[in-house]
């Protein structure tokens, strides 16, 4: 669904809603870039066209029903009422996080790794504050499989071609350096062999096994309230601010996930976006109300920020 809103000042907002089954963040950005280039009357060969070959790489298997797969996908976590806050890290905040997070195991932590690990840490502290117990917290981070395949798939391959790689942090391990290295390790696991496993005729079975294993591990602990969960997605470096419909670059590109009133499947989620200048990160954080109130009082977080808002 696409909604265009025009304002009295002459500004335009374009809202897009898409099913995750059909498109992930990369697909959506390819669609936007192709659409904008077409609107600017670019010559056909300069327009990036969506490519629909993915279904011949990742082959569907009729033995597993869509319902069963969706249940496996959505089972791990409890649902609940979330509120959304936008938290902005500017370049200097990120530089100081990188200094703190660098270690012999990860010598060059990325912008996304340090902000993710820092928010993971602050959110765990908030969970402890509201519940009075420091439970282990499992995170998933969505990894773009296109770049990890050999040869890489085209960026313009449409579909949900991501995998949420997981990492667990216990109460004793709450430390930025440790969390960055756990995250790096989890992302590194999604390598050429991992993607190869999911391709071809046997791929769907492998995906099913992976989903079951992840769901089993998470749900047994989550349902007994033994563990907390945060789902991370990064849309950084997707070139969102290069999308030009002919009126110049966008003033603001945001990811408005679920709104305050909606019931979300995953209780806690964090979406990372580039800031307009390209060197900062705008985090859209969805947490349960009490957890958010607690997070908003975290002095370490507030000290590091340009903006903590609604
Ligand atoms: C969790 O909070 C309690 C106080 O409610 C505190 O004593 C404890 O040190 C906290 N645990 C961690 C790992 O920060
Ligand atoms: C799309 O992929 C992500 C990452 O693997 C997963 O969390 C999500 O549930 C998938 N969504 C659908 C609708 O298939």
């Amino acid at each position: 669904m696409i909604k265009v809103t025009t304002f009295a000042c002459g500004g335009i907002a374009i809202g897009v809603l898409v099913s995750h089954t059909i498109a992930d963040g990369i697909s959506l950005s390819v669609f936007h870039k192709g659409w904008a280039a077409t609107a600017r009357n670019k010559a056909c060969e300069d327009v990036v066209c969506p490519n629909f070959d993915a279904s011949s790489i990742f082959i569907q298997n009729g033995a597993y029903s869509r319902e069963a797969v969706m249940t496996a996908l959505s089972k791990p976590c409890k649902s609940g009422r979330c509120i959304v806050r936008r938290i902005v890290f500017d370049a200097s905040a990120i530089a100081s996080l990188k200094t703190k997070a660098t270690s012999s195991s990860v010598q060059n932590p990325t912008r996304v790794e340090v902000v993710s690990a820092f928010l993971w840490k602050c959110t765990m502290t908030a969970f402890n504050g509201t519940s009075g117990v420091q439970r282990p917290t499992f995170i998933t981070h969505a990894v773009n499989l296109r770049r990890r395949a050999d040869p890489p798939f085209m960026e313009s391959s449409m579909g949900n071609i991501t995998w949420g790689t997981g990492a667990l942090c216990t109460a004793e391990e709450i430390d930025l350096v440790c969390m960055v290295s756990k995250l790096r390790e989890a992302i590194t696991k999604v390598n050429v062999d991992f993607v190869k496993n999911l391709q071809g005729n046997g791929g769907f079975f492998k995906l099913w096994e992976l989903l079951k294993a992840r769901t089993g591990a998470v749900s047994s602990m989550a349902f007994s309230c033994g563990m907390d969960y945060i789902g991370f997605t990064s849309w950084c470096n997707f070139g969102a601010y290069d999308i030009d419909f002919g009126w110049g670059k966008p003033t603001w590109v945001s990811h408005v996930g679920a709104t305050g009133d909606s019931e979300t499947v995953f209780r806690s989620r964090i979406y990372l976006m580039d800031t307009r200048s390209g060197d900062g990160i705008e985090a859209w954080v969805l947490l349960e109300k009490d957890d958010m109130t607690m997070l908003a009082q975290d002095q370490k977080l507030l000290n590091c920020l340009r903006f903590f808002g609604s």
Side-chain angles (χ1 to χ4, degrees):
M1 187 168 82
I2 292 173
K3 182 169 176 161
V4 178
T5 309
T6 50
F7 300 99
C9 64
I12 297 173
I14 300 175
V16 179
L17 179 71
V18 69
S19 160
H20 211 332
T21 313
I22 296 168
D24 54 13
I26 296 271
S27 305
L28 201 57
S29 92
V30 165
F31 169 74
H32 280 140
K33 284 173 193 163
W35 178 19
T38 309
R40 287 200 317 277
N41 264 326
K42 288 290 273 188
C44 244
E45 58 271 23
D46 295 337
V47 177
V48 184
C49 283
N51 167 294
F52 294 97
D53 288 346
S55 58
S56 61
I57 300 171
F58 300 105
I59 297 165
Q60 259 254 314
N61 186 326
Y64 307 95
S65 74
R66 197 189 118 76
E67 285 66 34
V69 174
M70 291 315 284
T71 314
L73 281 170
S74 59
K75 214 171 162 191
C77 304
K78 21 181 189 176
S79 58
R81 291 215 154 204
C82 288
I83 55 171
V84 190
R85 288 281 179 277
R86 185 172 68 102
I87 302 180
V88 184
F89 296 84
D90 63 14
S92 67
I94 291 172
S96 99
L97 286 176
K98 278 188 179 173
T99 308
K100 289 183 193 134
T102 300
S103 68
S104 54
S105 58
V106 183
Q107 290 164 8
N108 54 346
T110 65
R111 200 160 57 110
V112 168
E113 283 170 341
V114 296
V115 169
S116 302
F118 183 60
L119 286 172
W120 183 6
K121 180 172 180 242
C122 296
T123 309
M124 278 185 79
T125 307
F127 287 155
N128 185 27
T130 39
S131 67
V133 209
Q134 188 70 73
R135 286 189 289 261
T137 299
F138 182 76
I139 63 155
T140 55
H141 218 297
V143 178
N144 175 13
L145 300 183
R146 295 170 185 79
R147 290 177 201 171
R148 310 227 156 215
D150 182 28
F153 307 144
M154 280 189 284
E155 286 292 285
S156 58
S157 293
M158 300 302 273
N160 191 19
I161 312 176
T162 58
W163 172 253
T165 192
L168 183 71
C169 180
T170 63
E172 296 72 40
E173 295 170 318
I174 304 177
D175 164 70
L176 194 64
V177 166
C178 172
M179 292 162 105
V180 163
S181 96
K182 278 172 177 285
L183 182 56
R184 172 68 65 91
E185 197 188 318
I187 293 173
T188 310
K189 269 190 212 150
V190 186
N191 55 17
V192 172
D193 292 332
F194 183 96
V195 183
K196 197 176 264 168
N197 241 328
L198 301 178
Q199 289 174 235
N201 279 323
F204 203 86
F205 176 71
K206 298 275 173 38
L207 175 68
W208 176 245
E209 292 291 309
L210 281 170
L211 281 171
K212 270 202 314 203
R214 194 179 69 188
T215 307
V218 176
S219 62
S220 58
M221 286 178 89
F223 285 138
S224 59
C225 276
M227 184 163 73
D228 287 307
Y229 171 82
I230 314 165
F232 283 89
T233 299
S234 164
W235 283 17
C236 292
N237 303 318
F238 282 18
Y241 284 92
D242 296 331
I243 298 166
D244 179 356
F245 286 88
W247 304 296
K249 299 200 166 177
T251 306
W252 188 28
V253 184
S254 77
H255 184 308
V256 189
T259 58
D261 286 335
S262 67
E263 294 275 325
T264 53
V265 176
F266 296 118
R267 201 166 69 106
S268 314
R269 289 190 152 214
I270 298 179
Y271 299 95
L272 307 179
M273 303 285 296
D274 289 325
T275 52
R276 191 172 191 227
S277 57
D279 51 7
I281 287 187
E282 209 175 275
W284 287 78
V285 180
L286 281 75
L287 288 181
E288 230 172 38
K289 193 164 165 288
D290 294 344
D291 294 331
M292 186 66 83
T293 308
M294 197 56 74
L295 185 71
Q297 294 164 11
D298 187 322
Q299 211 50 51
K300 282 209 184 78
L301 176 63
L302 296 176
N303 287 345
C304 153
L305 293 184
R306 183 151 63 92
F307 187 79
F308 189 115
S310 51

